[in-house]
Amino acid sequence: MTEPTYDEAHDEAHGGALGSRLNWLRAAVLGANDGIVSTAGLVVGVAGATGDRSALLTAGLAGLLAGSMSMAAGEYVSVSTQRDSEKAALAVEKRELREQPEAELAELAQLLEERGLSRQVAREAAEQLTARDALRAHARVELGIDPDQLTNPWHAAWASFLAFTAGALLPLLAIVLPPADWRVPVTVVSVLASLVLTGWSSARLGAARPGRAVVRNVAGGALAMGVTYAVGTLLGAAGV
């Protein structure tokens, strides 16, 4: 069995790192998109009921803080659960390697054989991988886990918080900075333009066609603002 060349190993390492960066970038785009849509719906709804700048600013800031903290807390809990599961799986694998190394070696060889290697080559590869680092080999081949890159809940929480905040700032500033008569039109136009960008970006990062993603994104944001503005207008007219 030939060892991978330096260039092959180098490309593989960069491929994994690139995939990780793309996942983080995609999550950031989606988090910003959530911030845009939810905050835009909130401030446009309030604008339908009142033109008071203080009320709009208060509602927008409350929505921004509540949304960003909720996103961060949810991401922290979710990723913490995933990390706990990964660590538990690694602990089980470590115990099995200690208690029944021959069975684990045979299992690794079988997994490699199922991936297309011949039986002899799979056995040789399993022996070499086990000699080098048995736990890492089983973690990657059997569990699909990289022990050196376990998910970090704090990183995920902060990323979600910042992404949502960045997205929410756009409709917040758009609703409070312009003159009263221009607030809703400026907010709607800026939000729809930003949704075109986030829809296109998320589609491209996911290697999908951007057309449908952009249409869905813009339609969803427009619907959210239309519904909340109509409700706010009705409540304002009713004096609520």
Side-chain angles (χ1 to χ4, degrees):
M1 177 180 177
T2 60
E3 291 289 330
T5 66
Y6 169 81
D7 289 337
E8 291 171 339
H10 191 260
D11 291 342
E12 182 179 357
H14 277 276
L18 178 60
S20 178
R21 286 197 297 270
L22 288 177
N23 287 335
W24 277 100
L25 187 56
R26 189 181 301 115
V29 170
L30 295 176
N33 193 82
D34 288 343
I36 293 169
V37 174
S38 60
T39 307
L42 176 62
V43 296
V44 168
V46 175
T50 179
D52 183 69
R53 191 187 301 270
S54 297
L56 293 171
L57 179 60
T58 300
L61 284 175
L64 184 154
L65 291 174
S68 59
M69 294 180 69
S70 175
M71 288 281 291
E75 196 70 12
Y76 179 83
V77 171
S78 175
V79 175
S80 292
T81 301
Q82 179 183 345
R83 184 182 178 90
D84 291 343
S85 298
E86 291 173 345
K87 292 174 71 174
L90 289 173
V92 170
E93 198 63 39
K94 187 176 182 178
R95 187 185 71 246
E96 291 177 346
L97 285 168
R98 183 177 62 251
E99 295 177 352
Q100 42 189 348
E102 288 301 323
E104 289 298 299
L105 177 61
E107 181 183 31
L108 181 59
Q110 181 180 353
L111 290 170
L112 292 173
E113 185 177 350
E114 291 173 357
R115 294 191 175 190
L117 298 180
S118 67
R119 178 169 299 180
Q120 180 180 353
V121 173
R123 180 71 184 191
E124 292 176 359
E127 290 174 350
Q128 291 187 27
L129 290 171
T130 299
R132 181 175 299 175
D133 192 324
L135 180 59
R136 180 173 283 101
H138 280 266
R140 290 178 173 174
V141 177
E142 181 181 349
L143 305 176
I145 298 174
D146 187 343
D148 298 325
Q149 295 184 2
L150 295 182
T151 51
N152 189 312
W154 285 109
H155 290 172
W158 276 111
S160 294
F161 180 90
L162 294 174
F164 187 96
T165 300
L169 281 174
L170 185 142
L172 175 59
L173 295 176
I175 202 72
V176 299
L177 293 182
D181 293 340
W182 287 92
R183 287 173 185 164
V184 173
V186 168
T187 301
V188 170
V189 171
S190 60
V191 165
L192 294 182
S194 63
L195 291 179
V196 170
L197 178 60
T198 56
W200 182 87
S201 300
S202 62
R204 295 299 296 173
L205 290 170
R209 293 183 177 181
R212 291 183 179 180
V214 169
V215 171
R216 287 195 300 264
N217 212 32
V218 171
L223 179 63
M225 289 187 290
V227 170
T228 56
Y229 185 75
V231 172
T233 301
L234 290 174
L235 292 175
V240 177

